[in-house]
Amino acid sequence: MSSFSNEDQSNDNQSQENNLRKGPWTAEEDAILAEYVTKHGPGNWNIVQQNTGLLRCGKSCRLRWTNHLRPDLRRGAFTKEEQRKVIELHAEMGNKWAKMAQKLPGRTDNEIKNFWNTRLKKRKRIGLDLYPDGIKPVSDAHNPNTTLATYTHGNEVVGTSSQHAMLNNFSNTQNQPLPVQPISMVRENMKPPQEMQPSEVPRQLQLPEAGRSSYVPDVVFNTPNKRLRVLPNSMFQ
DNA sequence: AACCTATGCAACCGCTCAGGC
DNA sequence: CGCCTGAGCGGTTGCATAGGT
C-alpha cells in the first residue's frame, strides 16, 4: 500500500503552468466543494476556484460533484433491475451514457459507462452475447432476419456484430441480483449485512434525508482503492 | 513473502454544443 | 454570422486493490 500524503500528492500534481491540482480529491477538497455547492447551487463551475480557493479547474469540480458529492447519488453495486435497465437502454440508444443516467435515478453516466464497459469485457472474455434474450438493438429489431455487421442507432454504431454474437446469450441465471443493501437500511444499521461483500458496501453510507435543505455528508469512506476516506461533519458546520 | 496480472473505478482529455455578445 | 466561453459528453488512462502463482 503506497502511503502518499496529501501534501506529496499536492506537490506532485500541481501543474507548473496554472497551479491547478490534478488527481484524486482529498476529503478537505470535497468538503469545500460540497459546502460551496450547497450554498450556491451547482453551475458556474469556473468561478468555484476563485470563490473557494480550491486548486481545481471548473471541469474537475463539476465532475466531482456530479459523480461523487451529489446528495441524490445511489452508491453500491447495480441491482439486477438496474442492470437490466442499462442493457435495455443501451440496446435502445447505444453509448449515450448521460441519457441513460437520466433514466436511472441516482446513477451517473460514468458509473453506467464503467458498468457497461466492464460487463462488455467480461462477457466478451467468456464468450457471451451483448444482449439477453428479449432485448434487441434498435436496428436489429427493424431487421430481424439480417446479420448485421454493426448495430446502429441513428447514424451511430452502437455495437458490432461480434459483440452482438458474443453477448446475446445473456441469461437470467448469469444475471443474479447482487446482494445490495437498500440505502435506508444501510443508514439505519451502519454496517453491511453479512451477505454483502466489502467491496459492495455503498461508499456513502449516509445520505441526506429527503427534503433536507442543505447537504451534510456525514460519512464518506471505503472506496475500494481508498482514495476517499472520511468527510467529518465538523467541516460542514 | 514477493511478484505478476486482472479488475474496477476515479479522473482526465478532447471534442461538441449552446448561449451570449 | 462568427467568435468566445462555459458546460456537458464520451473515450481513455492511470492507479489501487484483489487474487493468483
Side-chain angles (χ1 to χ4, degrees), chain A residues 25-73:
Chain A
W25 280 65
T26 65
E28 287 80 10
E29 288 177 311
D30 279 345
I32 291 168
L33 179 60
E35 185 184 19
Y36 180 84
V37 178
T38 300
K39 277 187 190 159
H40 300 93
N44 293 318
W45 297 108
N46 284 334
I47 66 170
V48 172
Q49 189 208 344
Q50 302 163 23
N51 292 350
T52 64
L54 271 177
L55 297 174
R56 295 282 183 171
C57 68
K59 227 174 177 180
S60 185
C61 292
R62 184 186 62 78
L63 207 65
R64 186 64 185 172
W65 173 259
T66 305
N67 289 342
H68 297 275
L69 300 177
R70 255 168 52 201
D72 60 326
L73 285 180

Side-chain angles (χ1 to χ4, degrees), chain A residues 28-210:
Chain A
E28 287 80 10
E29 288 177 311
D30 279 345
I32 291 168
L33 179 60
E35 185 184 19
Y36 180 84
V37 178
T38 300
K39 277 187 190 159
H40 300 93
N44 293 318
W45 297 108
N46 284 334
I47 66 170
V48 172
Q49 189 208 344
Q50 302 163 23
N51 292 350
T52 64
L54 271 177
L55 297 174
R56 295 282 183 171
C57 68
K59 227 174 177 180
S60 185
C61 292
R62 184 186 62 78
L63 207 65
R64 186 64 185 172
W65 173 259
T66 305
N67 289 342
H68 297 275
L69 300 177
R70 255 168 52 201
D72 60 326
L73 285 180
R74 168 183 185 152
R75 309 313 298 256
F78 278 59
T79 63
K80 181 185 176 183
E81 196 54 40
E82 286 174 320
Q83 292 180 28
R84 186 85 192 173
K85 187 83 180 168
V86 168
I87 293 159
E88 284 173 2
L89 289 171
H90 192 276
E92 185 187 328
M93 54 181 73
N95 296 357
K96 298 296 177 186
W97 312 117
K99 284 205 169 68
M100 291 162 81
Q102 287 170 10
K103 310 226 173 193
L104 283 161
R107 296 297 185 183
T108 69
D109 54 353
N110 211 30
E111 264 184 307
I112 295 169
K113 181 171 60 183
N114 282 336
F115 164 77
W116 182 263
N117 287 336
T118 299
R119 182 164 204 88
L120 185 67
K121 254 196 270 176
K122 216 183 271 178
R123 298 187 75 78
K124 206 171 188 175
R125 194 179 59 245
I126 59 179
L128 293 176
D129 269 337
L130 182 55
Y131 301 104
D133 291 341
I135 297 180
K136 284 172 182 271
V138 170
S139 62
D140 195 31
H142 291 300
N143 303 281
N145 297 322
T146 56
T147 305
L148 301 172
T150 57
Y151 292 85
T152 60
H153 184 245
N155 292 327
E156 284 172 289
V157 175
V158 300
T160 65
S161 58
S162 62
Q163 287 175 326
H164 182 77
M166 280 191 295
L167 300 172
N168 228 5
N169 287 329
F170 190 102
S171 68
N172 284 336
T173 56
Q174 288 158 329
N175 189 26
Q176 291 303 312
L178 295 169
V180 173
Q181 183 84 331
I183 291 294
S184 58
M185 287 173 65
V186 171
R187 188 186 286 130
E188 282 166 26
N189 300 335
M190 283 304 290
K191 63 181 180 184
Q194 296 209 331
E195 66 270 25
M196 185 184 280
Q197 299 305 308
S199 64
E200 293 167 340
V201 177
R203 291 168 192 123
Q204 200 165 330
L205 281 186
Q206 288 211 343
L207 297 177
E209 302 295 338

